[in-house]
Amino acid sequence: MSGTVYVINPNSTERVTREIDVAIAPLRMAGGPAIECLTLADGPPGIQSQRDVDGLIPALLKRAASLENDASAFVVACFSDPGMHALREQSTKPVLGIAECGVLTALTLGQRFGIVAMLQNSIPRHLRYLGAMGMMGRFAGDLPVNLTIQEMADERVTLERMIGVGRTLRDTHHADVLVMGCAGMARFREPLERALGIPIVEPTQAAVTMAIGRVRLGWGGRPLDGG
């Protein structure tokens, strides 16, 4: 199958890209499509504010444009889905954002979903997005681990924080499925699910799964004429 699903990490932290690559490894299969994880070198080290989200969009669009001819689909691997709609206008290929796909996948696994956020100031962005998606009726809560992308390199501390937040979302907010609100959390999905006993959605896995389906079934992106 021709073409590559390009998974673009919009921050410049290579460790996050490597962890995304490990997370999506089970989705690589004979017959393709090929999946390649890339780092946006011109992005911020971590996407921690609306200014970070808005500021990286030109670089993201430029990088995607350079890959257009070889792409079968694009995945924007940041939970704010930065530039997703602009890239859908620019590209003729399917474009998927991990927040949108993560939440939609969660709806198939439980009745009320919660989000494990990176930082407190991530939450207003999430709430605006969930409201725009019309998802508030099945939204249980959004709580932060309050660690930067650099601080999440400490696996013991990060997992402890995620388990604590997850328990509160499960027991107090009555979430029966959780979405991890940062691509940099990818390596914690399985231990978090074991600790909490409820489904955990790793959103980049969710988005790549949808991208593969779109490519293999021929559910394309925008027609060349924009119609």
Side-chain angles (χ1 to χ4, degrees):
M1 184 172 293
S2 62
T4 298
V5 175
Y6 286 109
V7 181
I8 303 177
N9 168 24
N11 73 49
S12 59
T13 303
E14 290 283 356
R15 173 179 56 80
V16 173
T17 306
R18 291 193 297 270
E19 290 167 1
I20 292 170
D21 191 71
V22 171
I24 59 90
L27 300 174
R28 293 187 170 100
M29 65 187 77
I35 306 168
E36 184 174 347
C37 298
L38 305 172
T39 303
L40 189 66
D42 294 332
I47 298 167
Q48 298 173 185
S49 68
Q50 190 64 51
R51 183 174 180 176
D52 290 336
V53 171
D54 296 340
L56 66 83
I57 293 175
L60 175 69
L61 295 178
K62 181 178 179 181
R63 184 68 184 277
S66 73
L67 301 168
E68 175 76 10
N69 291 339
D70 297 322
S72 58
F74 292 100
V75 171
V76 181
C78 167
F79 201 73
S80 295
D81 289 349
M84 180 183 72
H85 295 292
L87 183 51
R88 284 175 176 169
E89 290 183 351
Q90 171 179 290
S91 178
T92 63
K93 310 299 171 61
V95 176
L96 297 104
I98 68 170
E100 185 176 65
C101 294
V103 170
L104 293 175
T105 299
L107 298 183
T108 72
L109 293 168
Q111 180 61 29
R112 287 170 55 82
F113 69 93
I115 296 174
V116 180
M118 184 170 68
L119 297 167
Q120 182 67 38
N121 67 357
S122 305
I123 294 174
R125 295 197 308 279
H126 298 170
L127 295 180
R128 288 194 296 270
Y129 198 11
L130 295 173
M133 290 178 68
M135 295 295 167
M136 299 304 287
R138 291 176 65 179
F139 172 62
D142 189 341
L143 297 175
V145 296
N146 284 321
L147 295 168
T148 67
I149 200 71
Q150 292 81 11
E151 290 169 336
M152 283 196 293
D154 187 324
E155 295 194 3
R156 181 187 62 80
V157 170
T158 302
L159 183 57
E160 286 178 357
R161 295 272 186 98
M162 292 180 73
I163 290 172
V165 164
R167 284 176 177 155
T168 301
L169 287 166
R170 181 194 64 188
D171 298 341
T172 302
H173 297 265
H174 308 295
D176 55 6
V177 55
L178 299 182
V179 183
M180 298 195 297
C182 174
M185 296 175 175
R187 65 194 185 279
F188 299 107
R189 189 194 70 81
E190 291 184 8
L192 186 61
E193 189 165 278
R194 287 195 299 270
L196 298 178
I198 59 175
I200 308 296
V201 176
E202 198 293 300
T204 306
Q205 292 175 336
V208 173
T209 298
M210 290 189 189
I212 292 169
R214 291 276 297 272
V215 172
R216 292 183 70 91
L217 293 172
W219 294 353
R222 179 180 59 81
L224 285 172
D225 62 1

